Amino acid sequence: MPSGIILSSVDALIDWSRGHSLWAMPMGTACCAMELIAASFSKFDFDRHGTFPRPDPRHTDLMIVAGTITRKMQPAVKRLYEQMPDPKWVIAMGNCAVSGGIFYYDTYSVVRGVDEFLPVDVYVAGCPPRPEALQDAVLQLRAKIGQESIGPNTFYVRKQNLPQSGDPR
């Protein structure tokens, strides 16, 4: 193949651009928010993955829920999610966002995971998870977006460039 010529479909180009330009709305509600903030510092540099934090839900396509969600906060979080334009994705970061954490068993007001009211695409376990785990979640989400299509209910099986378990190092 001569250099300088790229053959692709419009669908693959759109999927690639969606995955490489995620605008994230941080939803830090508890101690996991500190790790979410640390992820935006220069040491971890999410910008090189094409992930930029933005506080406005109308300009974002990724919501990162980090921390405990209570029943009182649930309608506000859902309202912010509904204000995001389609397509949109959710990352649940930390044990409290994934399953309610240790606070679910001691109180009646904690939601047992954000997947009770939001469709979660990637779960990040840990209490609190490190920023490297959030970076891995963003890369997993990029791989998931790369397999989606702009057509309704269409998915592709594309070879990913990410290392998989069992790959030689």
Side-chain angles (χ1 to χ4, degrees):
M1 179 163 98
S3 64
I5 296 175
I6 299 173
L7 298 175
S8 181
S9 66
V10 173
D11 194 34
L13 180 65
I14 289 174
D15 290 341
W16 180 86
S17 63
R18 278 182 181 168
H20 287 76
S21 63
L22 292 170
W23 293 77
M25 187 175 79
M27 177 64 69
T29 59
C31 48
C32 289
M34 297 301 118
E35 299 295 330
L36 182 61
I37 292 168
S40 64
F41 292 160
S42 61
K43 181 178 180 184
F44 301 104
D45 195 17
F46 272 53
D47 296 350
R48 67 187 157 124
H49 297 301
T51 304
F52 303 101
R54 188 158 173 103
D56 186 7
R58 294 188 175 95
H59 297 141
T60 57
D61 50 8
L62 170 64
M63 176 184 275
I64 302 173
V65 181
T68 308
I69 303 295
T70 61
R71 299 272 176 218
K72 193 171 184 179
M73 293 165 45
Q74 180 180 349
V77 174
K78 186 169 184 171
R79 186 177 320 120
L80 288 173
Y81 175 78
E82 290 170 350
Q83 290 177 356
M84 294 168 53
D86 285 326
K88 51 192 169 187
W89 300 276
V90 175
I91 293 177
M93 179 179 175
N95 286 348
C96 294
V98 171
S99 65
I102 59 172
F103 304 109
Y104 176 75
Y105 298 103
D106 293 337
T107 180
Y108 60 90
S109 61
V110 172
V111 174
R112 188 175 192 168
V114 293
D115 56 357
E116 279 190 6
F117 60 97
L118 293 180
V120 176
D121 296 293
V122 179
Y123 296 92
V124 181
C127 184
R130 296 276 308 147
E132 293 92 348
L134 182 59
Q135 274 186 327
D136 184 55
V138 168
L139 294 178
Q140 287 180 20
L141 183 62
R142 282 174 51 176
K144 183 177 180 179
I145 293 170
Q147 294 181 346
E148 292 179 351
S149 173
I150 57 174
N153 300 326
T154 306
F155 293 92
Y156 295 106
V157 178
R158 294 185 178 131
K159 184 176 186 307
Q160 300 295 321
N161 294 331
L162 294 173
Q164 302 296 319
S165 61
D167 287 349
R169 293 183 183 192

